[in-house]
Amino acid sequence: MKKKIFYWTDSEHINKPVISDTILNTGVKINILKAKVEPQEAFLILELFGSKEQIENALKYLSKFGEIEEISKVIKRDLEKCVHCGCCITQCPLNVIYLDEDYNVVFKEEECVGCKNCMKACPFKAIEIIE
């Protein structure tokens, strides 16, 4: 099983090994897709791998130290509206949007975390969030 989450924690927990303790205490595997750490807070996009029970235990453990939001949103692109201008490419924090060899915009939708940056950048409103 796999689950993606947004995770925020405040300055009190930034210098603590919360992620590694979560892995050791629950047996879940965690991939850090993005991390932005500042003196007052940290924001992470995490991908958790394990059994349903391991992931539930990991979420419970992580929630002791911060706020969790499950990522269930998926980006969809309207191919009729998209003109392959590339405005969305530089806005993706995970580089799941790119130009192929023919200069067409390509979305790896299965890797999207639904941050909406590309949707905000699209001048043609060709990108939408599907809940």
Side-chain angles (χ1 to χ4, degrees), residues 59-81:
L59 293 174
K60 193 181 301 181
Y61 187 83
L62 286 168
S63 67
K64 294 177 187 177
F65 305 99
E67 184 180 330
I68 295 169
E69 181 182 334
E70 293 185 31
I71 300 172
S72 59
K73 303 171 192 111
V74 177
I75 294 288
K76 291 291 179 192
R77 179 173 49 136
D78 185 334
L79 294 174
E80 292 180 16
K81 291 181 182 177

Side-chain angles (χ1 to χ4, degrees), residues 26-56:
T26 65
V28 75
K29 294 179 182 176
I30 299 177
N31 185 17
I32 300 171
L33 300 174
K34 180 179 173 98
K36 183 177 180 182
V37 180
E38 297 178 349
Q40 61 275 22
E41 72 173 354
F43 168 72
L44 296 94
I45 300 175
L46 304 175
E47 188 172 40
L48 287 65
F49 299 90
S51 68
K52 183 178 180 182
E53 182 181 353
Q54 286 174 315
I55 290 174
E56 286 173 359

Side-chain angles (χ1 to χ4, degrees), residues 2 4 6 69-78 96-97 107-119 126-131:
K2 171 171 89 169
K4 292 180 184 177
F6 295 124
E69 181 182 334
E70 293 185 31
I71 300 172
S72 59
K73 303 171 192 111
V74 177
I75 294 288
K76 291 291 179 192
R77 179 173 49 136
D78 185 334
V96 300
I97 308 170
F107 276 62
K108 292 189 280 184
E109 292 174 359
E110 68 281 355
E111 295 180 31
C112 174
V113 295
C115 71
K116 302 180 190 174
N117 290 351
C118 60
M119 186 176 84
I127 303 168
E128 63 182 331
I129 297 284
I130 306 296
E131 297 287 338

